[in-house]
Amino acid sequence: MAVHPLVNLTGPLGVGKSALAAGLGNAERVDLDRPDGRVALRQALAGPAGRTVVVDSVDGRVRRDSLHAEFVRLGDQRPTVVVVSRKPVLVDPLWAYSGAATVTVAAAPEEWIAARAGAVEDPDGRTLVIRLAAGIPLIADAVCRALEAGIPPTALGAVADQVAEEILERLGRELPGRQWCHALRLLATVWSGDERLVPGGPDHFASLASLSVVGRDTLGLRITEPYRTVFELAYRWRRPEAHENVRVRARDYRLALLAGARDHAERAALTEQGIFLGAAPLVHRALFPADQRAVRVRTAAASDAADVGRLMHQWALDSGFDPRLCDRLTERWAGDDISAFHIVYDRHERAIGLANLMPIDERTTTGMELLLQQHSTALAGGGLFLGAAHCPDPAVRAHLLRHILRQAAGRGGQLVVSTANLEYQGLVRGLGFRGHGVIRDDVFHCGRRPAVYTNDFSAAALPWWLGRVTGAGGGRPPGGAGLAGPRLAPKELQILLDYVSGMTLKSAARRAGVSPNTAKDYLNRVKSKYRLAGRPAYTKIDLAHRVREDGLAPEGRESLVAGPVM
């Protein structure tokens, strides 16, 4: 502050900016949330020079404009000012030439949140505090209050609902009224929404965009984490059927857009959102945690060779692989194309993770054959080869894995994966990749042979693949082979698969948590959709044939629909 007479202390809602500003010695404090905030502000700014004034709660356009007007009125005759706001003031054109120095308060480390949850006796409750807070003290404290009020940690939606109300109350200081609250829940449910997914008109849409927890991305508006997760959990708890319907409509809408997408970035973003809206729980947990760190990913250059070597060596040690072999692989891959390494950097510009995503061409195939062996024919289709992905932090790892999928979808063509990691094997199976089996040798000397998987991410194949992964069905397999399949809602697909696997309709209903009449209605809808697609299915045997033809049964259940169904 000795250098900058105007400092903007900024960071997410509830991250602890006010507490940090309170430590600024003898600074005079003005809180615009107080009824007398405007009057107090004028008095503080008009006082003697040489002081420091902290102006808190400068959130929303009205408050930013008011403060800027005071600065204009005073000119250079003002004290040193610390502006505390959720969004940086420099995002507002009025402040573009203010000379404000921005200081960003990051989310708190997990250990700090864990200490804050120390008063919660139930271990599951403490875990829930850490999981939902994702580094935001306000949310951690709100979860603790919900648990102290008697809500069990197993009632995740009920806890989230109480937390959401506290967040909405704070956001109301940025945008008066409550008309936008439901739209915020809808936006949280679909992850990224345009005006069709978040109805209400252009003005309503612009109002949502002005909130500090909302940003813009390729496909529309998006709520930042962990606020998005809290809002969605609360909405699902309050209106479970409406929540599912919103997700299904959003999924079908995005799949329809994907079928006509020509822009690489749009195709990658639509694929990512489609996975979010319809993937299985295992995939969803791995790719979309509430804790999403501020990181960036870029391709490596020759100057990054030391970071690449260090991270690949750590990959070997953490995975139980032979470090010497991994060092040789690193040297070979870096020599073929060091830009195939995608490095993850944290907000301090430290390299904390990487993936090797190698273009398959004449220069690089030899360096891949060790991890493919008898499955090296998978390289014939070209595309990208994923030979390593490492990031110890689960939240950052999710970001890296989504980056890999976006790269594959944006580039188009085939993605070949070779991995000895059992968790990654489960993930790629959950994503509907084709399994080719394990290679001959335990090349990493870890007691596990790498398994090889492939998936076609070409523009023509994406809608069909994503329809399968999300349970929507529809489209045609790559190359136009096969028959068109209807798009089935998640509950319709669940009832269908359980029914054709040999369960009675009553048992399938019980497993899905619905009444037998509702299950019968779902099954009739499935039959109607197949009839409209020109592929009628009147009996259980007919339905089993459709499941097999469309490849709808998940791995491990194919045998149940492969033969006669009694």
Side-chain angles (χ1 to χ4, degrees):
M1 289 186 293
V3 177
H4 298 283
L6 176 59
V7 176
N8 180 203
L9 187 62
T10 186
L13 167 66
V15 77
K17 303 180 294 296
S18 298
L20 184 60
L24 294 177
N26 297 319
E28 185 174 352
R29 292 168 187 79
V30 175
D31 189 348
L32 296 185
D33 269 346
R34 294 175 59 89
D36 62 345
R38 291 285 299 277
V39 175
L41 174 64
R42 280 207 160 198
Q43 293 173 346
L45 293 179
R51 299 166 305 112
T52 298
V53 176
V54 174
V55 186
D56 204 348
S57 306
V58 187
D59 299 310
R61 179 177 292 277
V62 173
R63 292 182 179 181
R64 286 198 303 271
D65 289 355
S66 297
L67 181 59
H68 185 268
E70 290 297 322
F71 282 4
V72 171
R73 185 178 63 83
L74 292 170
D76 294 332
Q77 305 303 311
R78 67 168 190 258
T80 297
V81 178
V82 177
V83 178
V84 182
S85 63
R86 295 166 189 165
K87 280 188 173 182
V89 295
L90 291 178
V91 303
D92 190 322
L94 273 179
W95 290 77
Y97 299 103
S98 64
T102 302
V103 178
T104 302
V105 182
E110 186 175 299
E111 311 83 66
W112 195 91
I113 297 295
R116 208 173 182 100
V120 178
E121 295 182 0
D122 188 334
D124 291 337
R126 291 194 295 273
T127 300
L128 180 60
V129 173
I130 296 169
R131 173 187 166 191
L132 277 186
I136 303 299
L138 168 70
I139 296 180
D141 293 345
V143 175
C144 290
R145 284 190 288 272
L147 296 173
E148 289 166 2
I151 303 176
T154 52
L156 182 58
V159 172
D161 188 64
Q162 181 165 320
V163 175
E165 286 301 308
E166 293 195 30
I167 296 173
L168 290 172
E169 190 275 328
R170 295 284 192 102
L171 290 175
R173 304 171 195 175
E174 301 178 30
L175 192 61
R178 299 277 291 187
Q179 303 92 329
W180 45 270
C181 293
H182 182 61
L184 210 58
R185 295 186 180 101
L186 295 180
L187 182 57
T189 299
V190 301
W191 199 45
S192 182
D194 55 18
E195 285 191 21
R196 176 166 175 175
L197 294 178
V198 188
D203 292 343
H204 185 62
F205 194 77
S207 294
L208 282 180
S210 71
L211 291 169
S212 62
V213 298
V214 177
R216 290 178 168 86
D217 68 8
T218 305
L219 301 179
L221 302 181
R222 181 186 295 186
I223 302 173
T224 55
E225 294 289 3
Y227 314 99
R228 189 211 64 79
T229 293
V230 171
F231 289 141
E232 186 187 6
L233 288 171
Y235 183 49
R236 186 172 65 188
W237 177 75
R238 287 192 176 197
R239 301 187 63 188
E241 187 174 354
H243 170 269
E244 181 175 341
N245 289 337
V246 168
R247 288 179 69 92
V248 170
R249 286 197 300 269
R251 178 201 66 191
D252 291 348
Y253 170 56
R254 291 310 196 192
L255 282 174
L257 291 180
L258 179 62
R262 296 293 177 265
D263 179 73
H264 296 324
E266 182 185 11
R267 193 160 61 232
L270 287 167
T271 300
E272 184 177 25
Q273 186 175 10
I275 295 171
F276 170 85
L277 289 168
L282 179 146
V283 174
H284 203 278
R285 285 194 298 271
L287 297 181
F288 303 99
D291 186 2
Q292 293 192 17
R293 307 291 172 80
V295 298
R296 69 181 183 93
V297 183
R298 69 166 177 82
T299 55
S303 58
D304 300 309
D307 281 335
V308 168
R310 174 180 59 81
L311 290 167
M312 285 290 288
H313 191 77
Q314 194 61 48
W315 170 64
L317 297 177
D318 291 350
S319 305
F321 297 162
D322 181 346
R324 291 170 298 179
L325 171 69
C326 293
D327 290 345
R328 291 196 298 272
L329 270 178
T330 303
E331 185 177 351
R332 177 59 189 264
W333 289 345
D336 288 342
D337 184 0
I338 196 166
S339 68
F341 286 99
H342 294 239
I343 305 178
V344 186
Y345 292 89
D346 66 11
R347 64 190 182 90
H348 300 296
E349 289 300 306
R350 295 176 301 201
I352 57 173
L354 90 170
N356 178 260
L357 199 57
M358 187 80 73
I360 299 171
D361 56 37
E362 292 180 356
R363 296 176 304 117
T364 60
T365 51
T366 304
M368 305 170 189
E369 289 174 351
L370 176 66
L371 300 186
L372 295 172
Q373 297 185 359
Q374 75 271 28
H375 302 300
S376 294
T377 52
L379 299 174
L384 295 170
F385 170 74
L386 178 63
H390 176 65
C391 196
D393 186 311
V396 181
R397 182 164 63 244
H399 187 103
L400 177 62
L401 294 173
R402 295 201 312 274
H403 170 81
I404 292 167
L405 292 171
R406 287 195 303 269
Q407 292 293 308
R411 179 189 176 100
Q414 183 177 224
L415 176 62
V416 181
V417 179
S418 176
T419 177
N421 184 299
L422 299 179
E423 182 182 349
Y424 286 167
Q425 290 176 11
L427 179 61
V428 293
R429 286 197 299 269
L431 285 168
F433 279 45
R434 177 190 174 194
H436 296 267
V438 297
I439 65 174
R440 287 187 299 268
D441 303 325
D442 174 12
V443 293
F444 292 118
H445 304 142
C446 64
R448 303 181 306 276
R449 292 179 289 169
V452 178
Y453 301 85
T454 58
N455 191 61
D456 185 358
F457 282 89
S458 66
L462 268 178
W464 177 80
W465 165 72
L466 201 54
R468 285 195 61 197
V469 171
T470 62
R476 292 178 180 272
L483 300 168
R487 292 181 177 177
L488 304 180
K491 286 290 187 184
E492 293 171 353
L493 180 63
Q494 182 181 353
I495 292 294
L496 171 64
L497 293 179
D498 286 342
Y499 181 61
V500 302
S501 72
M503 285 187 184
T504 65
L505 193 55
K506 187 175 181 180
S507 298
R510 188 182 306 115
R511 187 169 185 269
V514 299
S515 70
N517 285 337
T518 301
K520 184 177 180 180
D521 182 50
Y522 283 140
L523 198 61
N524 286 336
R525 288 188 212 170
V526 171
K527 291 179 179 179
S528 175
K529 289 181 178 182
Y530 271 111
R531 185 172 64 253
L532 291 172
R535 301 169 61 201
Y538 302 109
T539 67
K540 182 180 277 193
I541 293 176
D542 291 338
L543 289 169
H545 288 326
R546 302 297 173 261
V547 168
R548 186 170 65 254
E549 290 165 357
D550 293 343
L552 295 176
E555 186 169 340
R557 295 183 66 169
E558 292 89 345
S559 61
L560 298 176
V561 297
V565 180
M566 304 303 291

